[in-house]
Amino acid sequence: MITNTELEYKGNLYPNEIVDFKQDTDKLYFTTVNGVILQITVLRNSMVRFRYATDHNFEPDFSYALNKNALRGYNELNVHETPTEYIIATVRMRILVDKKTLRTQISDPEGNIICEDELGFHWEENYEYGGNIIKMSKITRTGESFYGMGDKATHSNLKGKRVENWVTDQYAYGKDQDPLYKAIPFYVGLTDNKAYGIFFDNTFKTHFDFAQEKKHVTSFWADGGEMNYYFIYGPEMEKVVRLYTDLTGTPELPPLWALGFQQSKWSYFPESRVKEIAKNFRDLKIPCDGLYLDIDYMDGFRCFTWDKKLFPDPKRMIAELAEDGFKTVVMIDPGIKIDRDYWIYQEAMEHDYFCKRGDGPYMHGKVWPGECNFPDFTNPKVRKWWAELYKEFMADMGVHAVWNDMNEPAVMEVPSKTAPLDTRHDYDGHPSTHRKAHNIYGMQMVRATYNGVKKHVYPKRPFVITRAAYAGTQRYACTWTGDNVATWEHLWLANVQMQRMCISGYSFVGSDIGGFAEQPDGELFARWVQLGIFHPFCRVHSSGDHGDQEPWSFGEEITDIVRKYIELRYQLLPYLYTMFYKYSKEGLPMLRALVLYDQEDPQTHFRTDEFIYGQQILVCPIQEPNSKGRRMYVPRGNWYNYWTGEVIVGGMEKWVVADIDKIPMFIKEGAMIPKYPVQQYVGELKVLELLIDVYFKLGVENSTVYEDAQDGFDYKKGRYSLRNFKLNGKENELIIQQFKDGTYTTSYETIKMQLHGLPFTIESVLIDSEKVSLDDVKLLENNCIEVNKEFTTLQLLGS
């Protein structure tokens, strides 16, 4: 019997007085009397890492989240000691470390406090599992708002919310239900127009309280591991997001077809049904690039097999679909059926590739094939083996892309919905249980898949989709928000989830358009398509249990509306591709919540509906039935109504007319929006002329158009075309300058510019300081002109 209450329950433990300090270049170490070590690493002028050890010991320093090519370096680092604290200064931040408590305070160079500890670091011994439950609490300042945290089905501003990260299969989840399929422990704090970010790189179950329990305290904690977090200072939100995205990485450019419209269902079979779907798309002139095969294409749901009754010759079928412009995407799950006659099961058993329980037996779980074992994707040997399994599918049969599902991992008929916590993992040479590996299991599966697909579709680019993810998974795969429901509430959720994921560094994301569970009516489906064409990943997917959900499933009126918006998606492909280029190259989020676009305007801090598509298109979906329009907030500046050409002044709410065939859509003044002709699939047409919609502005605005071969890796050798445009509008003059980079030669020779809002009549045109005839530029009454793509300066003069 334990009679010493201090031993019976210690409760929270805290660092005490600092007794030692040392510096090793960019690393600073502070040690307390009771054996806590705080390691502060200065990574950049605006980024530092805080890492805490107890009992004088750090765990091995290893992370799946970090981008090995992330930028490092700072201009200066100074450390100063006072009687009460240590002061660490870079050119962007000042960090105070209290000598008595180890608590920290971060301010800008002018002394304005950005973030400071409340209790700071503390911990509790975990008597059930060993190790510590590690905790951090920060002071919440008056008016502070919080954003990010990946895929959370709740209001975009997290103030007053509590969430946790434990990737979970949540079929037909509801508003505010948590957790979901992803664990991205990164948030952005904003107050007094100063933004910072905290990335808590801990793969155990993590918890965040954004001033819910105590209105002046924000805290985060984990069920195990280390207190290890990165602090990023803006003060601009966009800078915080970009620095975090660089830290965790961005994807390579996808093939352009992956940004086209895609159609999926659980499930399309047999082959004749797949062919019927493909034929309907082409007969009805509805553009589509991808068709998906869910688990029913397999032989008894065994991964990397085909049901030869349903699909007698998959290689031929895939080739025939490709001739009609369709790429074939197949699903692969992690559960491997326990079947001694199944060659993949045999190989995994022979090489000991499956996860085991704590006492040695293999971890079993029921999934679609029945009883399954699960590969340990945290083992590099297993990932290499898994990658090679894709050779037959990709290189031999011609499959174009892969979709990893159920990779949380989802396990049926158990309360936890996943693997037992005592399941063992290699964790890349750092052995762990599932408590630590659960949140990165799906990430490591899709990492192996990405490596295999990339190798075996070469010289083409890989395209991989995942459901489960941890921070950094964006390096390997696109994602979607899981098994949503065909309701208006879920349309609202899809909009919020996309914006939140982009703030969280994961921009290549979409939702199951129309809802996975249940079935939408025609109006909801049309409204969802209107929103979905503005999401980076654009796919209709449904369970198939509640009726058909193809674009033509809801009558002629809805079919025509859906076609119109999918065609708009294809017209805007060069704009979307440029967005992706900036995301990949610079970490710029592809969608911007209004607060990310204009944090100085307090009216944006709680807006959920409106968002900026790229940098210059404002979109606001209709999210209620029977609507003829809606009120929406238009951010500051002048904006052109895309449908009417009317210019409106932002910084206030507006009523916008939007019947069933319209979505509120506005273009930032000064923008130059590139467009391609409508195609039934990417590559169907040779682009003979680039159309650019030019929206006049009194003043200066910059725009960009990025193009390359649309597939392959030549763009990494400089074979791309990057056109940077500078528009300068004056009372009687419009000047457009072009600055071109890259060696790629586009298929078109001319650029057609459609001029919107020009306040004067064009009387003369100068190209590179040479006056040209109005006939030479084919000036039409609607202010449309054609110029050679190589121009440097275009001047339009009027009276």
Side-chain angles (χ1 to χ4, degrees):
M1 178 178 179
I2 297 175
T3 57
N4 186 324
T5 55
E6 184 178 350
L7 290 176
E8 185 178 9
Y9 181 71
K10 290 185 177 182
N12 286 328
L13 302 170
Y14 298 84
N16 52 23
E17 187 175 357
I18 295 173
V19 292
D20 184 59
F21 165 75
K22 65 178 181 179
Q23 180 175 358
D24 182 8
T25 314
D26 59 350
K27 291 182 171 59
L28 312 171
Y29 297 87
F30 305 86
T31 304
T32 69
V33 171
N34 61 343
V36 175
I37 305 174
L38 165 59
Q39 178 195 82
I40 297 178
T41 306
V42 179
L43 301 171
R44 302 180 68 162
N45 293 322
S46 300
M47 184 190 299
V48 293
R49 179 188 183 191
F50 292 85
R51 190 177 176 212
Y52 295 81
T54 57
D55 295 328
H56 299 277
N57 288 314
F58 284 105
E59 295 183 359
D61 193 10
F62 176 79
S63 172
Y64 284 118
L66 301 184
N67 166 28
K68 65 180 180 180
N69 298 316
L71 296 176
R72 297 287 186 268
Y74 49 86
N75 295 95
E76 86 181 37
L77 171 60
N78 296 307
V79 182
H80 175 63
E81 182 179 358
T82 75
T84 59
E85 59 203 8
Y86 290 91
I87 303 173
I88 306 158
T90 73
V91 296
R92 301 287 296 155
M93 291 188 295
R94 187 175 67 167
I95 305 167
L96 307 184
V97 181
D98 184 77
K99 286 186 173 181
K100 287 187 176 182
T101 63
L102 205 65
R103 293 173 188 166
T104 65
Q105 180 191 88
I106 303 174
S107 59
D108 65 16
E110 290 73 40
N112 301 302
I113 296 174
I114 306 164
C115 183
E116 62 181 319
D117 287 352
E118 186 240 3
L119 294 177
F121 170 65
H122 49 293
W123 74 100
E124 179 184 332
E125 292 190 23
N126 191 327
Y127 292 107
E128 182 178 2
Y129 293 105
N132 295 324
I133 299 169
I134 44 100
K135 308 174 184 182
M136 174 62 66
S137 62
K138 303 282 187 182
I139 293 173
T140 303
R141 291 171 292 161
T142 302
E144 189 162 9
S145 293
F146 301 95
Y147 307 91
M149 293 302 297
D151 189 7
K152 301 296 181 186
T154 191
H155 195 286
S156 52
N157 192 328
L158 292 166
K159 182 69 171 287
K161 303 282 187 180
R162 177 180 284 196
V163 297
E164 67 180 38
N165 289 312
W166 185 252
V167 294
T168 304
D169 177 12
Q170 292 284 22
Y171 172 77
Y173 56 89
K175 183 176 182 290
D176 296 322
Q177 187 169 352
D178 189 57
L180 299 182
Y181 303 90
K182 295 163 187 68
I184 303 180
F186 165 72
Y187 72 86
V188 179
L190 173 65
T191 187
D192 296 331
N193 197 33
K194 290 182 172 60
Y196 68 90
I198 287 181
F199 170 43
F200 182 22
D201 189 8
N202 183 304
T203 63
F204 285 81
K205 181 183 286 187
T206 54
H207 313 259
F208 290 76
D209 184 306
F210 296 101
Q212 184 195 66
E213 183 176 343
K214 298 179 181 179
K215 67 178 182 180
H216 68 285
V217 178
T218 293
S219 55
F220 50 94
W221 64 100
D223 291 356
E226 278 189 347
M227 176 52 63
N228 170 37
Y229 71 92
Y230 295 79
F231 182 90
I232 305 167
Y233 177 51
E236 302 84 8
M237 279 187 69
E238 184 177 286
K239 180 180 178 183
V240 172
V241 172
R242 290 175 68 175
L243 287 174
Y244 164 76
T245 306
D246 177 68
L247 180 68
T248 55
T250 58
E252 298 175 310
L253 288 176
L256 186 61
W257 70 262
L259 301 181
F261 177 76
Q262 301 175 52
Q263 181 72 38
S264 180
K265 182 180 181 178
W266 180 27
S267 291
Y268 287 132
F269 67 87
E271 176 185 328
S272 58
R273 177 61 174 156
V274 178
K275 291 290 192 68
E276 178 188 2
I277 295 294
K279 184 175 186 301
N280 281 345
F281 271 105
R282 297 299 179 244
D283 288 349
L284 293 170
K285 300 293 184 184
I286 300 173
C288 181
D289 265 278
L291 291 178
Y292 283 60
L293 300 180
D294 210 313
I295 54 175
D296 292 290
Y297 79 87
M298 303 176 191
D299 177 13
F301 306 130
R302 296 170 179 83
C303 293
F304 301 101
T305 67
W306 292 85
D307 185 324
K308 290 304 179 70
K309 292 182 180 179
L310 301 178
F311 298 93
D313 189 350
K315 182 175 182 178
R316 172 191 49 76
M317 179 193 73
I318 292 166
E320 290 172 357
L321 289 172
E323 288 177 5
D324 289 333
F326 292 99
K327 306 296 191 294
T328 301
V329 185
V330 299
M331 174 187 280
I332 295 290
D333 290 347
I336 301 300
K337 183 176 178 62
I338 298 174
D339 177 356
R340 294 186 179 277
D341 296 325
Y342 175 26
W343 66 276
I344 290 179
Y345 178 79
Q346 292 170 352
E347 283 191 8
M349 289 293 289
E350 178 184 350
H351 296 288
D352 199 21
Y353 286 160
F354 287 131
C355 294
K356 293 180 180 179
R357 299 291 298 273
D359 292 330
Y362 287 107
M363 179 250 151
H364 288 200
K366 186 176 181 181
V367 204
W368 302 119
E371 286 293 320
C372 292
N373 292 143
F374 292 78
D376 181 9
F377 295 110
T378 72
N379 185 330
K381 293 180 181 178
V382 176
R383 291 198 299 269
K384 185 176 180 180
W385 166 73
W386 189 260
E388 287 304 312
L389 295 178
Y390 286 101
K391 181 179 185 299
E392 182 181 6
F393 268 42
M394 317 309 293
D396 300 341
M397 291 188 176
V399 170
H400 298 90
V402 173
W403 164 27
N404 283 166
D405 195 16
M406 304 290 287
N407 55 340
E408 290 72 30
V411 177
M412 299 172 179
E413 298 182 2
V414 294
S416 69
K417 300 184 180 181
T418 192
L421 295 182
D422 73 333
T423 301
R424 297 300 196 248
H425 296 274
D426 179 78
Y427 213 90
D428 278 72
H430 307 88
S432 75
T433 68
H434 202 66
R435 294 177 63 238
K436 184 177 182 179
H438 172 80
N439 279 336
I440 54 84
Y441 183 88
M443 176 195 197
Q444 295 311 297
M445 178 190 181
V446 81
R447 175 187 182 184
T449 298
Y450 166 81
N451 288 334
V453 172
K454 183 175 182 178
K455 178 178 180 180
H456 295 300
V457 300
Y458 190 83
K460 302 296 185 181
R461 299 175 196 167
F463 178 44
V464 177
I465 306 111
T466 183
R467 188 169 76 177
Y470 181 72
T473 308
Q474 66 268 13
R475 301 195 298 270
Y476 311 119
C478 134
T479 191
W480 86 104
T481 55
D483 294 344
N484 56 5
V485 186
T487 65
W488 290 94
E489 180 176 79
H490 268 267
L491 176 60
W492 179 86
L493 283 174
N495 187 17
V496 174
Q497 288 170 291
M498 297 310 111
Q499 296 175 46
R500 191 192 307 284
M501 286 291 287
C502 289
I503 285 177
S504 305
Y506 209 138
S507 278
F508 199 3
V509 62
S511 70
D512 284 345
I513 293 174
F516 178 77
E518 303 179 16
Q519 188 184 33
D521 59 22
E523 182 188 14
L524 175 57
F525 185 75
R527 292 302 194 187
W528 210 318
V529 169
Q530 289 170 358
L531 172 63
I533 65 120
F534 293 105
H535 290 161
F537 178 47
C538 182
R539 181 186 71 163
V540 169
H541 181 53
S542 64
S543 68
D545 291 335
H546 304 91
D548 294 334
Q549 206 158 298
E550 289 76 40
W552 51 85
S553 301
F554 303 94
E556 186 174 347
E557 178 192 18
I558 300 302
T559 300
D560 291 343
I561 293 170
V562 169
R563 180 190 297 109
K564 168 184 172 179
Y565 280 91
I566 295 176
E567 288 179 347
L568 178 59
R569 169 84 174 196
Y570 279 75
Q571 288 178 294
L572 290 173
L573 276 178
Y575 180 82
L576 173 58
Y577 199 45
T578 302
M579 288 163 51
F580 209 112
Y581 166 78
K582 291 185 176 182
Y583 169 53
S584 176
K585 190 81 171 176
E586 305 170 30
L588 281 170
M590 294 174 70
L591 307 180
R592 287 169 169 78
L594 289 197
V595 66
L596 187 62
Y597 179 76
D598 186 1
Q599 70 187 51
E600 294 181 4
D601 181 359
Q603 293 297 318
T604 67
H605 292 192
F606 284 87
R607 306 300 302 197
T608 59
D609 296 355
E610 308 87 350
F611 64 93
I612 306 295
Y613 180 62
Q615 293 176 285
Q616 296 169 319
I617 299 179
L618 169 66
V619 180
C620 184
I622 300 297
Q623 298 171 137
E624 294 181 349
N626 305 313
S627 296
K628 300 293 184 180
R630 64 161 296 158
R631 292 192 67 80
M632 62 174 285
Y633 187 77
V634 180
R636 296 183 299 180
N638 295 331
W639 299 83
Y640 285 77
N641 186 313
Y642 179 81
W643 306 109
T644 68
E646 175 192 6
V647 179
I648 63 173
V649 179
M652 63 185 74
E653 279 198 345
K654 299 277 188 180
W655 170 263
V656 182
V657 175
D659 209 341
I660 182 66
D661 64 337
K662 294 288 192 300
I663 182 172
M665 181 178 170
F666 296 84
I667 312 297
K668 185 180 180 183
E669 66 169 353
M672 298 178 62
I673 307 296
K675 287 181 175 178
Y676 283 160
V678 173
Q679 307 174 73
Q680 294 308 300
Y681 56 91
V682 168
E684 181 199 22
L685 302 178
K686 183 178 181 180
V687 179
L688 300 177
E689 189 170 56
L690 180 67
L691 173 65
I692 298 181
D693 282 327
V694 180
Y695 294 86
F696 181 83
K697 173 183 180 179
L698 276 173
V700 175
E701 177 74 14
N702 296 311
S703 301
T704 305
V705 181
Y706 173 86
E707 297 170 286
D708 60 24
Q710 303 178 0
D711 209 339
F713 294 93
D714 278 357
Y715 75 94
K716 292 190 172 185
K717 304 172 185 176
R719 297 190 183 103
Y720 59 83
S721 169
L722 183 64
R723 303 179 189 276
N724 290 302
F725 294 104
K726 180 180 180 181
L727 178 148
N728 188 358
K730 303 178 181 179
E731 187 176 345
N732 294 306
E733 183 181 14
L734 176 62
I735 304 171
I736 297 175
Q737 294 175 287
Q738 178 181 202
F739 308 91
K740 190 173 181 300
D741 187 23
T743 61
Y744 177 72
T745 301
T746 60
S747 57
Y748 56 84
E749 294 298 326
T750 59
I751 297 175
K752 179 185 288 186
M753 295 189 184
Q754 178 66 63
L755 306 170
H756 300 266
L758 204 64
F760 57 84
T761 300
I762 299 174
E763 295 187 350
S764 60
V765 177
L766 281 73
I767 298 178
D768 299 337
S769 302
E770 296 286 335
K771 188 173 183 179
V772 298
S773 164
L774 297 185
D775 290 336
D776 289 341
V777 295
K778 300 181 180 178
L779 178 65
L780 304 175
E781 291 182 1
N782 62 350
N783 281 334
C784 185
I785 66 171
E786 291 184 3
V787 295
N788 185 277
K789 67 180 181 182
E790 302 298 341
F791 80 91
T792 300
T793 303
L794 171 66
Q795 291 175 271
L796 307 178
L797 303 172
S799 56

